[in-house]
Structure formats: structure tokens, C-alpha cells
Amino acid sequence: MATRIGMEVSIAAAEAVKQANVDIIAAYPITPQTHIVEHLSELVNNGELDAEFVPVESEHSAMSVCSGSSAVGARTFTCTSSQGLALMSEIVYAVSSLRLPMLMILANRSLNSPLSIWNDHSDVMSIRDCGWIQLFVDNGQEVYDHVFIGFRVAEDRNVLTPFIINLDGFVLTHVIEPIEMLDQKVVDRYLPPYQPLYRLHPDHPVSMGCFGPPVLFTEAKKAQDEAMNKTMPYIIQGWQEFGDLTGRYYHPVETHETEEAKIIVVTQGSLGETASIAIDTMREEDEPVGLVKIRLWRPFPFEEFEEAVKGAELLVVMDRAISYGGPGGPLAGEIRSALYHQERHPRVVNFIIGLGGRDVAPDDFAQMVQQAKARPGEWYEIYGVRE
Amino acid sequence: MAKPEDEITWRDLNVGYVVDEPGNASIYRTGDWRSQRPVYDKERCIKCGTCYIYCPDMAIKILKDGYIEHDLYYCKGCGICAEECPTGAITMVEEEE
């Protein structure tokens, strides 16, 4: 049934959005997300995809259109990067509070300044607390698959929360990979039509986005936090059923060679693919090293992460963003918090790497592991910076 | 709303804080915001209706005889009616505790 075709990852992502049978796409083209929305606009123009493509004048408008279209019950997609996300961030927070499901592919790119169009994770970390389900993918197949998984989870009556797929800009968006595409019948079986709980409709009038006075606002935020924490089983169920259909199973954290590993490298996104090559080389040299990839970022998989790093003495955490004046990168901060309650927890050393498209090679991982072993204590460092 | 605001728990809120009961803003007592109240002198009123037209909160009622009455449940005390009244029939005084 399934066929493997070589194609650019952005095109594969757009083809998945087509197969997911979206109703509305609102997006403003921004590098390196451009090829995804360009291809979607072609599909709509050619009549291959029966959807509204709204070519807005900015990302602020893109997210505004998306909030309206999701509110009337339409399956909604958007895509952005970097400054575009920053510009739409006001409404990004609103749609999750309003529990409007939609899918966003975020082609990760650094934020100004200096001006950079290349990859790091500073854009998504700027909206870490926006209340969307957020995950990272490693390769083109994973982004293709997660378009279906994302819509399915977001639109689940028990979830009703928007969903972000983080896809490393250029490193993934602009490479050609073999993609196993799904038969449309399989997609239709996995992804039922969206059935909203509430929607804007003249026959059943409701008000959305009303004000919350001080006496109610705290209760509203508690409800949102509880709702987010309860999404985990539905995300896992979405992955399980997708795996049963396709043979490709996904997990909140992915492990590689972690059994009996004393040292564990922790990554997010496409760095995991490079790191796994480095891990294999180090294993050949009898270094007891393993790899944990954090796929799910929100809700954070505390239990699964603890289980994955059990028995390790040293964690070498890779961040692709800086929290200026803070305790290191955002991922390392999260990991220290996750382990803090343990009486004896592994030492956490944090490297900030690959900023603004700086290349990270397998050798770099070996060097970072050696540096972390050699120097005691918990610290963070911007790796490879010229003194 | 079934319960007063300060008794509503987080579990009582609709998903996405959707309000599914139309017109429930009418129970919101905007008169609580007031720091000045309008005082109406019927003797100076010429029944022109200017205050009624300018009131941004529909808080002025025109009575059958053409005179007016302030609805203090909603009147926020903005003073527009007093400002616009051509004969000075409405004046604003400090609200007392």
C-alpha cells in the first residue's frame, strides 16, 4: 500500500496537510518555512486540495484567521518561523486558552539579532509557555506522520488544544529524503472529521473570548493547566494507533543505546540523528554512552524521561537556545527540575550549540562528552565559541 | 449564571471559557464602578432627551411623562449626561460610602 518517494521534506509536509483534508490554510511565507506554504498554495490553486488558502499580510493576521476558522469548526493549518512566530505570539496564547485545535508546523529559525535565517530553537523557546502541545521531529518521515497525529490529537474532544510540530529549518526543511506516504484510505481511517464541542454558529449562539475578572481568572488558568496535563494519554493513544496502522511507533522520549549507559546525551530535533552516529562511534570505543531524544516538549514527559535516564551518572544536555542571564538553556533547566526531587540524581552539564545555523558534527558530541567528564560540577557553556 | 462569581470553581467553567447563556452580561452590576453619582433636578429639565442619547450605557430611562430617571444598577458615573445637558439639570456629586 505504502510507497517510498524521494522528496523535499517541506513538500512532504505540504502533501501530508493535503491528505489531512484541511479546510483553511492561513500563512505568510517566511524563510525557511516558505516551501511548505508555497506548495500548499499551488495545490489549492490547481484544485488538488479543496481548501481556502488565505494569503494574509502578516503572521499576526495568519493566526487571527486561524483562530476564527477553528472557532467555526474548520480544520485549520498554519506554518511559520522565527520573527513570524514572534509577530503572531499574541494570538498564539489566545487560541490555546480558547481551546481551539489547529496544527502549526514551526520551521525552527533563530530570532534577531544579528539577522539570521538559519536554524536554532530560540523561536519556539520564546513561546514555551503558550499552552500548545509542542514536539520535535528528527526527520522528514516524522514530520509527515505527525501532521496526521497532530490533527488527530488536537481535535480529540478530550484534548481540544492546538499543536506545534517543530521542524529544524534548512537542516530538515530543505533536504530531500525518502518519504513513505500513506494511502488516503489509511489517513481517512486514522483522522476522522473534526467535531467541535462548541463552535460559532447562528443556530446555537455562544460567546468566545469573553473577559475574565480577577475573581474568575485564576480558576480559568487552573482549568487550562489541568486540561494540558490530561492530554498525555491521548497523545500516547494517537501514537499507538498510528503505529498499529503504519508500523511506525513514536514515544514521548526516544532512546538509543541507553541500557547500562553511565553517560547520556540529551537532544531535541534533528541533532538526535547526528548524535546517534557519534554515540555508535563512542560505543565502539567502549565509552558507556547513550542518547535520549526529547520528542514531547509540552506537556513535558517527566515520568518517561526519568525512566529513560535511570542509572546514568552524567547527563550532557544540548540546547539550541540561550536563556540570557539564566541558568543555561531551557532544556537543561527543565531537566534539572525534573530530577531535583531525587535524592541522588545525575550531574547535568549543559552545552549551548548549533546557534544560528552553526554546524554540529558527530565529532563535536565526542568532544563535549570528554569535556563534561573532565570538569566536575554542574555548569553550562556555549560550545565552540572563539575566545 | 447558576452561581455567584465568587463561588464558581475551575471545574464549573466551560471548555475554552465559552459563554453559552446569551444576555448574561445584564447581571453584571457596572454601577459598582461609580465614584460620582448623577443628581437630577426635574425643575430644570426640558425633556429634550439629550442625556438619553449620549449615555453610553443605556442607563437613562425616559419616563412616560417625558422626564428621565437614572438606572444606578448600570450607571458608571461617567458624567457625560451632566456635561451634555443644555440646562444644567444633571450634576455629578461624590458617591458616599
Side-chain angles (χ1 to χ4, degrees):
Chain A
M1 276 205 319
T3 44
R4 263 164 96 81
I5 305 168
M7 66 171 81
E8 192 186 288
V9 169
S10 289
I11 305 302
E15 287 289 330
V17 172
K18 181 190 97 176
Q19 285 188 286
N21 198 18
V22 296
D23 299 310
I24 302 256
I25 301 155
Y28 185 89
I30 178 170
T31 304
Q33 152 266 44
T34 331
H35 291 183
I36 301 175
V37 287
E38 273 179 0
H39 190 64
L40 280 167
S41 71
E42 279 171 21
L43 292 172
V44 172
N45 183 55
N46 297 344
E48 290 176 64
L49 169 57
D50 182 19
E52 286 288 328
F53 187 97
V54 189
V56 285
E57 103 301 348
S58 80
E59 287 86 351
H60 191 274
S61 303
M63 190 45 68
S64 301
V65 168
C66 287
S67 73
S69 66
S70 183
V72 298
R75 180 166 288 164
T76 303
F77 175 80
T78 192
C79 192
T80 193
S81 292
S82 184
Q83 269 77 248
L85 179 70
L87 184 54
M88 64 167 60
S89 65
E90 176 194 356
I91 306 121
V92 166
Y93 277 77
V95 295
S96 55
S97 282
L98 295 171
R99 306 282 301 280
L100 297 173
M102 66 182 68
L103 184 73
M104 164 150 61
I105 294 181
L106 185 57
N108 299 121
R109 162 185 160 186
S110 53
L111 282 170
N112 270 352
S113 68
L115 179 63
S116 161
I117 58 169
W118 293 275
N119 167 243
D120 68 34
H121 294 160
S122 49
D123 54 1
V124 61
M125 293 308 167
S126 76
I127 52 128
R128 185 188 63 179
D129 302 325
C130 68
W132 289 46
I133 296 168
Q134 302 173 40
L135 55 72
F136 287 82
V137 295
D138 276 24
N139 56 45
Q141 187 68 55
E142 292 184 5
V143 70
Y144 175 85
D145 291 351
H146 278 91
V147 168
F148 311 118
I149 297 164
F151 274 121
R152 159 86 178 244
V153 170
E155 293 172 357
D156 189 313
R157 275 279 175 97
N158 299 298
V159 176
L160 294 175
T161 295
F163 199 105
I164 291 174
I165 302 173
N166 285 289
L167 169 71
D168 281 323
F170 291 114
V171 181
L172 286 182
T173 54
H174 286 57
V175 297
I176 293 171
E177 289 187 12
I179 307 288
E180 189 173 304
M181 299 188 74
L182 295 181
D183 195 289
Q184 189 62 44
K185 281 183 195 150
V186 176
V187 174
D188 293 343
R189 201 166 352 135
Y190 180 75
L191 186 59
Y194 171 38
Q195 304 281 351
L197 179 63
Y198 296 109
R199 67 179 176 129
L200 294 177
H201 192 282
D203 292 347
H204 308 282
V206 294
S207 299
M208 292 183 180
C210 303
F211 75 90
V215 70
L216 280 176
F217 193 81
T218 310
E219 279 66 23
K221 292 293 112 177
K222 166 74 174 172
Q224 193 182 346
D225 190 39
E226 285 288 327
M228 177 56 119
N229 285 327
K230 283 183 186 146
T231 61
M232 186 69 96
Y234 301 100
I235 299 168
I236 289 170
Q237 185 190 344
W239 275 329
Q240 179 68 37
E241 287 175 27
F242 187 82
D244 293 344
L245 278 174
T246 64
R248 291 191 292 277
Y249 291 91
Y250 296 103
H251 307 96
V253 297
E254 310 278 352
T255 59
H256 177 69
E257 301 281 358
T258 48
E259 278 182 30
E260 320 236 323
K262 295 282 172 231
I263 305 165
I264 287 179
V265 173
V266 185
T267 64
Q268 277 178 319
S270 63
L271 273 185
E273 298 250 309
T274 320
S276 65
I277 297 167
I279 299 292
D280 291 344
T281 313
M282 283 187 269
R283 276 275 174 178
E284 280 166 23
E285 292 157 3
D286 290 330
E287 190 83 77
V289 60
L291 172 66
V292 167
K293 298 186 272 191
I294 308 286
R295 171 161 333 275
L296 199 56
W297 179 230
R298 282 293 181 278
F300 191 82
F302 290 99
E303 282 174 35
E304 292 82 355
F305 177 75
E306 266 191 64
E307 183 61 30
V309 301
K310 211 164 65 182
E313 290 162 7
L314 172 63
L315 302 186
V316 187
V317 181
M318 311 293 160
D319 259 294
R320 261 186 152 157
I322 304 179
S323 175
Y324 305 103
L331 178 59
E334 205 88 350
I335 281 169
R336 288 199 181 99
S337 299
L339 299 171
Y340 189 73
H341 69 100
Q342 295 181 352
E343 236 170 76
R344 278 175 54 82
H345 48 73
R347 190 159 68 89
V348 178
V349 169
N350 179 206
F351 287 99
I352 290 159
I353 60 165
L355 296 181
R358 177 72 64 94
D359 199 22
V360 184
D363 278 355
D364 293 318
F365 289 95
Q367 284 207 25
M368 285 184 276
V369 167
Q370 292 314 323
Q371 284 182 28
K373 273 169 65 180
R375 194 174 133 198
E378 300 221 346
W379 38 274
Y380 81 92
E381 192 172 285
I382 302 176
Y383 177 78
V385 69
R386 289 184 296 276
E387 295 293 341
Chain B
M1 239 181 261
K3 290 183 186 175
E5 277 178 350
D6 57 1
E7 288 174 21
I8 294 170
T9 73
W10 67 268
R11 290 173 208 275
D12 296 329
L13 296 168
N14 281 335
V15 169
Y17 328 127
V18 158
V19 175
D20 55 2
E21 182 193 342
N24 71 354
S26 63
I27 64 167
Y28 189 57
R29 185 193 285 270
T30 45
D32 282 354
W33 300 16
R34 203 169 51 235
S35 58
Q36 288 194 317
R37 79 162 57 228
V39 174
Y40 174 52
D41 180 1
K42 194 174 169 181
E43 297 301 312
R44 300 180 80 161
C45 179
I46 56 169
K47 307 180 185 179
C48 65
T50 304
C51 58
Y52 171 80
I53 291 164
Y54 273 92
C55 176
D57 285 305
M58 306 287 286
I60 291 174
K61 204 158 53 178
I62 294 186
L63 304 174
K64 271 193 185 139
D65 58 9
Y67 292 108
I68 63 122
E69 188 178 88
H70 286 88
D71 185 345
L72 295 177
Y73 189 93
Y74 296 121
C75 171
K76 293 172 186 158
C78 69
I80 291 175
C81 55
E83 178 71 24
E84 296 298 334
C85 178
T87 63
I90 303 170
T91 45
M92 301 302 289
V93 299
E94 285 298 316
E95 191 69 77
E96 285 167 31
E97 290 296 325

